[in-house]
Amino acid sequence: MVNRRHFLGMAGIATAAGLSACSRWMPTGRAASAAGEAGRAAQAVRQALNRLTFGPAPDELDRVSGIGVNAFLEEQLAPDSITDFQAAFKVRRIESLALGAPGVYDFTSEELIADLRRATILRAVYSRRQLFEVMVEFWNDHFNIYSEKGDCAQLLVVHDRDVIRQNAFGKFRDLVTAVAKSPAMLVYLDGKANVSGNPNENFARELLELHTLGLDGGYTQADVREAARALTGWRVREGLIGRGRPDFQPDLHDDSEKVILGTVFQTGAANNLDRLIDLAVSHPATSRHLARKLCRRFIGDNPPAGVVEKVANRFRETDGDIREVLREIVHSKEFEVAGPKFKRPFRYAVSVLRATGGDTDGGAGFQKQLKSLGQLPFDRPTPDGFPDGDGHWHAHVLPRWNFAASLCAGGIKHTSANLENAPSTPEATLQHLLGRPIKTFETSTFAEFREKSEILPLALCHPEFQYH
């Protein structure tokens, strides 16, 4: 926990920096006044690493400066070509990740969700396939599933591997289709209870409101009712044989005529799911909804309308090719000049470990910290996923201070910062973490703190480090 001495130091930085105005803070490394080609190139590299990864690791700034941002993007968009020994070695020891249905039911829900969270943390911290992991997090938010409902904890192991990770860089239509047939989603949003004569609207509503068209996408309550009828008949198998696998039962499907988004679904269709998803994914509102969310994640909380429309156009031109949409975002002028974006708790905690060359087993100690910070993976009860934007997270600062102090004091089980290799002065520490020299007010604030175990947590609580 933060002691009085550390608290005063952190408060001093926050006050001088204007923590209440952090949404307007522009780090010097990104300032428009950066002089010369070298300054602009360094700014572009830091911007790319801040947005396309969970935070730059110590050796990445030099490496990406050497190959250039465009080469780094193309490398990240081809994750299978990236050797990822360290992350693979750490994750391969989690045997439950390879399980399918019904094998997942040989473990308790507590064991399985702890293992999945551990793998999620380890990949975020250690994987060299950083953009892929960033997009896995994005899609797990977009198609959020709460692990505490029913047997979702068991089914999420398969869902994360075979639905989200399998389709994270593919076509959006394939991803939505896989989600709609996923046993974890069928349990979470009650799709398995959706039968002819007694339709359950939960998944149909979220399919239109959250997954495709968006809240302002132009659908009606009648569309939700009709879509629910179109999705009837999908179940999750029970019993010893095939338990936990998706199963379509035609006798439970409503095959009568439906009208959805102005399109007639004729009587007698054996299965309306694929056609409904084609209709929803190709709707113009879907491209705008996805473009807005992706621009919000990679550019800023309020992305300019112009770039959202360009990205939406690219989505339509490429039939929802996720790689092409990401290229459009990263190559945009808006991405290049984007201001700082407040880190969500998971990104903050992972970026601390990556920036300090820290180490973790991703286990109970680190997971407890994420719970305190407010963003433990797969722990969001509502289907909208964890919020994106400083409007929700900006008030949750003290838990971050406690996290940084505990980490540097060795207070988190099986998780540590690399103090031995940390810079020994405040000047060098801030240069390393923020990419710019120390300022006058910081010199006086840091004057009392000369030990690495004091300097590093103070720097990690700096207002600028809360942004990426």
Side-chain angles (χ1 to χ4, degrees), residues 156-176:
L156 270 166
V157 172
V158 180
H159 176 88
D160 181 75
R161 182 189 65 229
D162 296 345
V163 175
I164 300 299
R165 303 183 72 83
Q166 183 69 29
N167 295 284
F169 272 170
K171 290 293 185 75
F172 183 64
R173 176 182 283 99
D174 296 337
L175 177 55
V176 177

Side-chain angles (χ1 to χ4, degrees), residues 377-394:
F378 311 107
D379 196 44
R380 175 76 171 177
T382 53
D384 54 349
F386 287 105
D388 188 10
D390 67 1
H392 181 84
W393 301 113
H394 202 238

Side-chain angles (χ1 to χ4, degrees), residues 112-130:
L112 287 173
I113 197 61
D115 280 353
L116 181 56
R117 286 170 175 153
R118 182 181 169 203
T120 299
I121 293 163
L122 291 174
R123 285 166 169 153
V125 173
Y126 296 106
S127 180
R128 295 183 60 239
R129 301 167 180 175
Q130 280 285 295

Side-chain angles (χ1 to χ4, degrees), residues 168-407:
F169 272 170
K171 290 293 185 75
F172 183 64
R173 176 182 283 99
D174 296 337
L175 177 55
V176 177
T177 302
V179 167
K181 298 177 181 179
S182 167
M185 186 62 78
L186 288 169
V187 170
Y188 175 55
L189 290 179
D190 304 307
K192 70 172 188 174
N194 187 19
V195 297
S196 179
N198 188 27
N200 185 297
E201 297 178 3
N202 286 355
F203 177 67
R205 183 178 308 282
E206 306 310 345
L207 173 66
L208 298 179
E209 179 178 316
L210 295 177
H211 301 170
T212 56
L213 278 72
L215 183 61
D216 58 351
Y219 67 90
T220 66
Q221 176 57 30
D223 291 321
V224 172
R225 288 195 298 268
E226 296 288 85
R229 292 174 55 219
L231 294 167
T232 51
W234 285 93
R235 312 285 283 172
V236 178
R237 290 186 187 179
E238 299 178 352
L240 294 178
I241 300 178
R243 182 184 180 190
R245 295 177 182 171
D247 183 31
F248 180 72
Q249 298 184 15
D251 58 321
L252 299 178
H253 177 61
D254 183 344
D255 65 352
S256 60
E257 182 179 287
K258 309 164 189 74
V259 180
I260 308 172
L261 300 172
T263 299
V264 176
F265 286 53
Q266 298 291 344
T267 300
N271 176 3
N272 291 145
L273 183 147
D274 290 333
R275 188 177 181 203
L276 172 60
I277 289 175
D278 280 342
L279 179 65
V281 169
S282 61
H283 194 283
T286 296
S287 60
R288 292 193 296 271
H289 178 53
L290 263 295
R292 190 179 302 114
K293 283 196 72 171
L294 285 164
C295 288
R296 181 180 178 88
R297 181 63 57 91
F298 288 100
I299 293 176
D301 292 350
N302 297 292
V307 71
V308 171
E309 191 56 37
K310 285 191 294 184
V311 173
N313 288 338
R314 192 60 180 156
F315 181 97
R316 292 189 288 268
E317 292 167 357
T318 63
D319 193 27
D321 188 309
I322 296 164
R323 283 186 175 90
E324 289 301 318
V325 170
L326 290 173
R327 285 189 178 98
E328 187 72 27
I329 292 171
V330 178
H331 290 153
S332 70
K333 182 67 174 178
E334 290 82 357
F335 178 87
E336 181 183 343
V337 300
K341 181 176 171 64
F342 198 70
K343 294 177 181 177
R344 301 197 304 172
F346 182 83
R347 179 181 285 264
Y348 171 74
V350 170
S351 72
V352 166
L353 289 180
R354 288 177 59 79
T356 62
D359 196 23
T360 185
D361 69 348
F366 194 77
Q367 291 180 32
K368 182 179 179 180
Q369 292 292 320
L370 290 175
K371 182 75 171 179
S372 296
L373 288 166
Q375 196 186 358
L376 179 65
F378 311 107
D379 196 44
R380 175 76 171 177
T382 53
D384 54 349
F386 287 105
D388 188 10
D390 67 1
H392 181 84
W393 301 113
H394 202 238
H396 301 267
V397 176
L398 183 58
R400 300 184 183 215
W401 291 3
N402 285 327
F403 170 77
S406 296
L407 176 72

Side-chain angles (χ1 to χ4, degrees), residues 18-60:
L19 184 55
S20 62
C22 266
S23 60
R24 299 188 297 275
W25 189 289
M26 175 64 80
T28 303
R30 300 186 201 174
S33 61
E37 190 64 31
R40 287 190 292 271
Q43 175 185 339
V45 168
R46 186 169 286 273
Q47 177 83 327
L49 284 170
N50 275 325
R51 294 301 166 85
L52 305 182
T53 77
F54 283 106
D59 61 339
E60 283 189 324

Side-chain angles (χ1 to χ4, degrees), residues 422-438 450 455-456 459:
S424 59
T425 65
E427 293 80 4
T429 301
L430 285 183
Q431 178 71 40
H432 169 68
L433 292 178
L434 307 179
R436 54 101 170 145
I438 195 168
R450 306 311 299 179
I455 294 169
L456 189 57

